[in-house]
Amino acid sequence: MAIKFQLPDLGEDTEGGTVVKVLVAVGDAVEKDQSVIELETDKALLEVPSPASGKITGVHVAEGDEIRVDELILTIDAAVGSDDAPAEPAVPVKAPPNVEPKTVIQAPAKPEPRPVAETPPASVPGPPQPEPSKPEPPQPVAPSAEVGAVPVAAKPAGAGGPASPSTRKLARELGVDLEQVLGSGSAGRISKDDVMAFAKSRLAPDSDREGAPGAPGPVAVTPIELPDFSKHGPIERVKLNGIRKKTIESMTRSWTTIPHVTQFDEADTTDLEALRRRRNEQLLAGGKAKLTATVFVIKACVSALKAFPQFNSSLDVAAGEMIRKDYFNIGMAVDTEHGLLVPVLKDVDKKSLLQLSDEIKDLSERARRRKVSLDDLRGATFTVTNLGGLGGTAFTPIINHPEVAILGLARSQKRVSMTGERLESRLMLPLCLSYDHRLIDGSDAVRFTRKIAEMLEDPGLLLLEG
Amino acid sequence: MTQLPESSQSHKSLKVQVCVIGAGPGGYAAAFHAADRGLKVALIDAESKPGGVCLHRGCIPSKALLHAASLIEESELAANWGIHFERPRVDLDRLREWKGEVVERMVSGLAGLCRARGIEYIQGTAVFVDSERVAVEDASVAMVQFEHAILATGSSPAIPAALRIDSPRLMDSTAALELPDVPEKLLVIGGGYIGLELATVYAALGSAITVVEMTDGLLPGADRDLVRPLAARLKKSISSILLETAVTSISETKDGLEVTWEGKGGNATQTFDRALISVGRRPNTSGLGIENTAATLDENGFVRVNPARRTEDPRIYAIGDVAGQPMLAHKATAEAKVAAAAIAGEPAAFDPAAIPAVVFTDPEIAWTGLTETEAKEQGRKVKVARFPWGASGRAVTLDRTDGMTKLITDPANGLVLGVGIVGPGAGDLIAEGVLAIEMGAVAEDLAAVIHPHPTLSETVMESAELIFGSATHMHRPAKK
Ligand SMILES: Cc1cc2nc3c(=O)[nH]c(=O)nc-3n(C[C@H](O)[C@H](O)[C@H](O)COP(=O)(O)OP(=O)(O)OC[C@H]3O[C@@H](n4cnc5c(N)ncnc54)[C@H](O)[C@@H]3O)c2cc1C
């Protein structure tokens, strides 16, 4: 029974990738789920598993090929009796569709916001215009075939009508190219509302764009004219890799669509640290992975998520619904040399601290080697990002859409405090919780953060609840 | 005379965020807007008080004199209504003095506004030392160090070398505005707006005037149908207008200036008591030390700027006459706002849809946006409506039916592209046209807006009605 194996859907955001390695050859026997090719997407290096057990009868891709979803990769003669074999011969087979939607990567820290519009650069474009005329519209970026490249629409028919001076000023402030805006007034006159609607549509996810007034079709953020930096000193232009491009997209989306508020708190982890030290001595002696503070925090988060289920939810604005999740998968931001990845610890509520500790170690190592599978990057319900190892007193993490909250950890600090009559040095862990204020009220955010802090302050509670 | 506060220390050096060079309508406005944004500003000008050409020897004194001229003209017209004045006796000294008072009042007001805003006004001549400093000659402050400079040094009358002779009888606009006397015979070389405005003044005062213009019409740039009523009226007050004629030589004799010209107006030599040269203006860029900065000039001698009015030197901006056409005060002021905003880090660009131009002759001529001539040159289809002032009640009550209002629109959608007006008060009326263009109004909008009756502004509304056929006060049978 021949199976034509096509590149399965890799997730909403990924349309394909580059074949880095073909792991099988014609004649090889493969098991179901055995990796057959290594594919580099803009997010990760991933291994594509075989959909069935059987014998490879055709390899249709080679190393270096750019392939897209649905493209034929292999022909497999499926083993007779395999339950995965399709009923019909030579039926195209796809991997099961993704249940979990996208957002695979995210960065924990707030990016340096670029000014929306800046004064035109020092370099003077050609001779001045002696006659009044509209300023040069920013050059639209040529549409690129590159995956993840932001498409820029050509000027829609009828766009670029007259606009009043105050409207033109607003457009400059928002970085909107009026040539792209379809005016709603007579003679195509562009109003301030038209400009605002256009700017909004530009920021909204693709699905929201259709029907947005003044913005037919997908339109990208107008590239903002940059000054000629080379006038001030030597410069170098460095191409961004796929991870960075995706990060730009997802960060922009999260930052512009979610009203973020960050709640700060601290947990007294003096006792927890003492416990951790003691346990680690034993663990190391037994050749086991150390317990990191992160493991405890992740466990504490699950307790808090159980107590406040709206933090373990997603918001479906269109449907007017909150989607509550009855599983607890925690994303864990990992800093790699290629950029930020967020592998996901699954079913954290069902695992012991030691088990989690091993999993964290394995996942972060694989993330650093870009060896995580897409599955490893999917399905988080909440994210923890620990920058404390590097320093910092506090930061405001950006939520990993479609999640609704993210916990940031900054560097612990020793603080002298009075315990009864005694002066004591206590170790304080700063907690920075960013939450989606549309769904979560400030008071609940305080309670939620307090709950995490309390769990960490009394590790015994973790045993009871975790 | 009010003196600006002079700094006690001589030859001190000053550090400012914005140093504005030239205190005309570009420079003083830029200084004001920068100071209003909380920036520390120095304003340098060779004059003792701000105002520039516009206030000291341009717009303001010329308009004061033109107002006096129009009164003389109107008093003559009044005979038609049974009101007879004697021929006015002109006390030239008092007229000059009054003009001086007008100017003094304005420039003192500006000096007060400088003080109120905490702007350091420095009288002296500025020269760039480099991209961060200007040296000021003959001033209380020897050196000004700046984060940003705004160049607003304006322009000066251009006098062709062949006609440059050393004689008080040969005047530029500055000298003519000084009203040295009322010459019996005055030659005006150049039929642009400055020449015609000053010709109007001197004609009213009693001079016999000859205008020599090199091109084939007065006021190059303006649509011919707007110029026609002016030309017709000038025929009565001006002895002769010689078009397509060039003055080739001027020499001084004991009787006056002997001037020779050639061209369609004939080849002749005549003697005049005085001659006014008004053939154009040149941007003031020399002796400024621009070469010590990264700023550059374009092929026409203007300082090259980008839409924010920044020169090729990132610290230096340029506005007004020195930064390009049209050389008009309101354009300089508009650019001043842009430059000040850009320096303050605001998104700013000089991107007007229309800049009005006004000629304060009698009748006045004003236009804005696209002219019919330009449309023709560009091969652009336009729909034009002309409303003659004979159909305006207000014009009839003024006994001035020689005016006309015209609207230039886009035939596809009625968008107002240009407005042209000739007639008394055209300069004030044109503002509505500028607003219409900037706001993206269509002819239908102008026709539907209620205009007060009886005023000349109704002619704008009625010209818009004409785009669609007949206007209330003008019947045009539908074309078969
Ligand atoms: C007779 C006449 C009538 C006019 N009528 C009108 C009118 O009706 N409407 C209109 O819009 N425009 C009119 N104009 C034009 C108008 O005056 C100019 O467009 C306007 O003044 C330009 O302003 P500006 O700020 O660029 O410079 P200017 O007004 O030219 O001012 C420049 C200033 O810089 C100073 N300066 C130059 N170099 C230096 C230096 N190195 N150091 C220190 N100071 C320096 C000068 O002393 C001057 O005060 C008229 C001009 C003339 C001559």
Side-chain angles (χ1 to χ4, degrees):
Chain A
M1 204 179 294
I3 293 174
K4 288 190 184 299
F5 179 43
Q6 296 163 297
L7 183 63
D9 192 355
L10 302 165
E12 225 174 282
D13 280 348
T14 308
E15 287 148 37
T18 312
V19 178
V20 179
K21 231 182 215 158
V22 181
L23 302 167
V24 291
V26 174
D28 283 0
V30 287
E31 292 288 304
K32 179 177 185 284
D33 288 336
Q34 178 187 334
S35 300
V36 286
I37 61 166
E38 270 187 15
L39 191 73
E40 181 168 34
T41 71
D42 44 15
K43 289 171 207 142
L45 190 64
L46 54 99
E47 296 180 351
V48 180
S50 170
S53 305
K55 210 163 116 184
I56 306 288
T57 53
V59 176
H60 309 291
V61 293
E63 281 167 25
D65 282 1
E66 286 276 2
I67 59 170
R68 303 184 76 77
V69 171
D70 284 349
E71 213 168 302
L72 184 63
I73 310 173
L74 301 170
T75 321
I76 305 166
D77 194 0
V80 181
S82 156
D83 1 271
D84 295 293
E88 300 280 334
V91 170
V93 166
K94 282 207 212 171
N98 301 296
V99 203
E100 193 61 32
K102 64 175 174 197
T103 316
V104 178
I105 51 161
Q106 55 110 250
K110 174 176 165 180
E112 198 68 37
R114 262 258 298 252
V116 176
E118 53 176 52
T119 42
S123 63
V124 179
Q129 305 131 315
E131 289 302 321
S133 64
K134 293 198 173 167
E136 284 284 304
Q139 282 296 294
V141 175
S144 155
E146 205 181 334
V147 176
V150 210
V152 174
K155 176 182 165 178
S164 73
S166 60
T167 304
R168 301 202 292 267
K169 177 161 184 249
L170 179 72
R172 271 199 297 278
E173 282 165 359
L174 297 176
V176 166
D177 172 12
L178 285 173
E179 291 289 321
Q180 301 272 331
V181 181
L182 206 58
S184 59
S186 49
R189 180 171 187 258
I190 300 167
S191 67
K192 281 194 173 181
D193 285 346
D194 293 338
V195 172
M196 243 123 59
F198 181 87
K200 265 192 216 138
S201 74
R202 216 173 44 176
L203 299 172
D206 302 69
S207 53
D208 295 359
R209 276 195 199 130
E210 272 147 61
V219 180
V221 175
T222 310
I224 298 163
E225 221 185 321
L226 286 173
D228 180 5
F229 299 107
S230 66
K231 287 201 147 183
H232 312 294
I235 58 159
E236 188 190 353
R237 280 189 170 262
V238 183
K239 278 262 170 286
L240 299 178
N241 66 19
I243 292 186
R244 179 59 58 201
K245 285 183 188 161
K246 269 293 164 203
T247 305
I248 290 170
E249 223 174 85
S250 55
M251 284 301 114
T252 308
R253 181 156 302 174
S254 287
W255 183 246
T256 51
T257 53
I258 303 176
H260 281 71
V261 178
T262 305
Q263 173 65 43
F264 299 104
D265 204 335
E266 346 177 85
D268 181 341
T269 53
T270 320
D271 297 343
L272 177 67
E273 270 307 292
L275 172 95
R276 204 168 68 85
R277 286 254 162 71
R278 283 198 306 276
R279 288 284 145 241
N280 276 347
E281 278 166 23
Q282 295 170 1
L283 286 169
L284 281 179
K288 292 247 174 72
K290 282 199 300 180
L291 283 173
T292 60
T294 313
V295 184
F296 290 95
V297 174
I298 285 175
K299 264 294 188 192
C301 285
V302 171
S303 296
L305 290 170
K306 281 184 172 164
F308 300 91
Q310 70 269 41
F311 286 82
N312 203 47
S313 306
S314 281
L315 185 60
D316 187 342
V317 179
E321 285 170 354
M322 171 171 95
I323 304 160
R324 233 184 236 176
K325 294 158 202 161
D326 255 337
Y327 52 91
F328 299 88
N329 296 348
I330 308 294
M332 180 183 71
V334 178
D335 191 23
T336 79
E337 61 175 299
H338 312 285
L340 209 103
L341 288 175
V342 187
V344 181
L345 294 162
K346 304 277 161 67
D347 298 321
V348 176
D349 56 324
K350 300 192 183 109
K351 291 174 183 164
S352 73
L353 286 167
L354 286 177
Q355 227 177 326
L356 287 170
S357 200
D358 284 341
E359 260 185 49
I360 290 174
K361 190 165 172 245
D362 168 60
L363 267 180
S364 31
E365 262 168 29
R366 281 198 288 125
R368 288 196 181 99
R369 282 187 286 120
R370 283 186 91 178
K371 280 285 189 183
V372 278
S373 70
L374 272 180
D375 206 42
D376 290 328
L377 297 171
R378 277 188 192 136
T381 59
F382 182 82
T383 298
V384 174
T385 169
N386 187 353
L387 291 181
L390 302 170
T393 51
F395 60 101
T396 56
I398 291 188
I399 297 162
N400 190 4
H401 186 270
E403 293 159 40
V404 293
I406 180 169
L407 179 70
L409 306 176
R411 166 160 284 183
S412 290
Q413 275 177 343
K414 287 223 170 93
R415 170 107 40 85
V416 175
S417 74
M418 286 289 272
T419 314
E421 289 297 292
R422 269 187 318 142
L423 267 182
E424 264 188 1
S425 162
R426 310 293 300 179
L427 189 67
M428 306 304 285
L429 173 66
L431 306 174
C432 318
L433 178 90
S434 290
Y435 58 94
D436 185 338
H437 204 3
R438 294 174 300 179
L439 193 64
I440 295 162
D441 295 334
S443 53
D444 284 338
V446 176
R447 288 186 197 109
F448 180 82
T449 322
R450 261 290 91 214
K451 170 85 181 169
I452 294 173
E454 280 160 13
M455 301 293 292
L456 295 172
E457 281 163 4
D458 185 355
L461 284 176
L462 280 177
L463 297 178
L464 293 176
E465 289 187 27
Chain B
M1 282 228 298
T2 338
Q3 277 302 120
L4 281 159
E6 296 241 324
S7 69
S8 47
Q9 266 172 286
S10 188
H11 295 290
K12 64 169 184 174
S13 149
L14 184 69
K15 240 181 164 165
V16 294
Q17 285 167 296
V18 182
C19 176
V20 184
I21 302 163
Y28 75 72
F32 291 1
H33 285 282
D36 288 349
R37 283 173 167 81
L39 300 171
K40 185 164 159 47
V41 181
L43 177 59
I44 308 174
D45 197 292
E47 302 275 346
S48 66
K49 284 183 191 157
V53 167
C54 177
L55 279 95
H56 291 286
R57 48 189 180 275
C59 334
I60 295 300
S62 63
K63 265 79 256 180
L65 297 179
L66 279 160
H67 177 63
S70 77
L71 184 73
I72 297 173
E73 296 272 322
E74 192 151 23
S75 68
E76 283 169 18
L77 184 65
N80 199 26
W81 327 321
I83 298 173
H84 300 274
F85 293 97
E86 294 192 4
R87 187 154 174 78
R89 184 179 58 81
V90 178
D91 175 351
L92 202 62
D93 292 336
R94 177 56 199 147
L95 180 58
R96 190 186 307 114
E97 198 176 69
W98 172 70
K99 179 213 68 177
E101 285 166 12
V102 169
V103 170
E104 182 53 33
R105 180 185 170 148
M106 300 294 300
V107 297
S108 296
L110 287 177
L113 289 172
C114 274
R115 273 194 302 272
R117 287 171 152 103
I119 294 165
E120 181 104 13
Y121 187 89
I122 303 165
Q123 184 182 359
T125 307
V127 180
F128 281 102
V129 177
D130 52 32
S131 297
E132 298 171 26
R133 289 173 302 165
V134 289
V136 196
E137 284 160 22
D138 317 317
S140 50
V141 175
M143 188 73 78
V144 179
Q145 197 168 345
F146 58 79
E147 286 167 23
H148 290 284
I150 300 178
L151 193 54
T153 48
S155 62
S156 319
I159 298 183
L163 307 182
R164 208 174 292 150
I165 61 161
D166 191 21
S167 162
R169 292 176 186 273
L170 182 66
M171 308 182 291
D172 59 15
S173 58
T174 309
L177 285 170
E178 282 312 308
L179 290 182
D181 57 14
V182 179
E184 217 167 285
K185 287 179 73 186
L186 173 67
L187 174 69
V188 174
I189 306 170
Y193 82 94
I194 293 177
L196 292 188
E197 286 184 5
L198 288 168
T200 302
V201 170
Y202 277 93
L205 294 176
S207 295
I209 293 172
T210 300
V211 176
V212 175
E213 163 61 38
M214 216 145 67
T215 69
D216 62 357
L218 299 173
L219 297 176
D223 279 346
R224 292 303 95 191
D225 54 351
L226 295 177
V227 178
R228 227 167 280 132
L230 171 68
R233 201 173 170 89
L234 287 179
K235 273 206 188 110
K236 290 178 213 150
S237 54
I238 289 179
S239 325
S240 60
I241 297 174
L242 311 173
L243 299 176
E244 293 181 75
T245 304
V247 171
T248 53
S249 77
I250 302 180
S251 58
E252 187 163 26
T253 66
K254 65 173 176 17
D255 299 328
L257 292 176
E258 206 174 78
V259 184
T260 307
W261 57 77
E262 290 171 5
K264 281 228 168 127
N267 298 353
T269 300
Q270 279 187 25
T271 301
F272 293 89
D273 300 297
R274 285 184 184 272
L276 163 67
I277 293 205
S278 48
V279 294
R281 296 181 66 82
R282 242 195 270 291
N284 292 332
T285 53
S286 61
L288 262 174
I290 291 180
E291 62 284 357
N292 301 330
T293 72
T296 56
L297 305 183
D298 68 13
E299 55 282 358
N300 297 316
F302 293 109
V303 179
R304 196 170 272 144
V305 288
N306 75 358
R309 305 290 96 168
R310 182 146 67 177
T311 68
E312 284 186 284
D313 193 315
R315 287 167 171 268
I316 303 173
Y317 289 68
I319 55 173
D321 285 6
V322 81
Q325 298 280 8
M327 292 202 251
L328 292 170
H330 42 266
K331 177 233 158 197
T333 305
E335 289 178 310
K337 293 181 198 168
V338 170
I343 286 173
E346 296 162 30
F350 185 66
D351 63 347
I355 300 176
V358 182
V359 185
F360 292 85
T361 43
D362 182 25
E364 289 180 2
I365 299 181
W367 67 94
T368 190
L370 188 73
T371 65
E372 224 180 325
T373 318
E374 280 167 353
K376 215 163 278 163
E377 281 164 10
Q378 296 168 12
R380 176 167 185 176
K381 274 218 166 67
V382 288
K383 189 163 185 184
V384 181
R386 292 182 184 79
F387 185 81
W389 284 18
S392 154
R394 186 60 180 147
V396 176
T397 65
L398 297 172
D399 198 9
R400 288 303 298 267
T401 53
D402 53 341
M404 188 260 288
T405 298
K406 80 166 173 184
L407 204 62
I408 297 159
T409 62
D410 187 331
N413 48 31
L415 195 66
V416 179
L417 302 174
V419 179
I421 305 173
V422 55
D428 286 311
L429 292 172
I430 198 65
E432 183 179 2
V434 187
L435 184 69
I437 295 170
E438 288 286 4
M439 299 301 291
V442 292
E444 202 181 342
D445 294 327
L446 283 183
V449 169
I450 298 175
H451 287 64
H453 179 75
T455 63
L456 295 169
S457 72
E458 289 169 291
T459 66
V460 176
M461 170 180 73
E462 299 225 21
S463 68
E465 289 178 44
L466 281 180
I467 291 280
F468 305 101
S470 289
T472 310
H473 298 99
M474 201 178 153
H475 176 62
R476 269 209 322 218
K479 278 191 193 135
K480 290 275 155 69

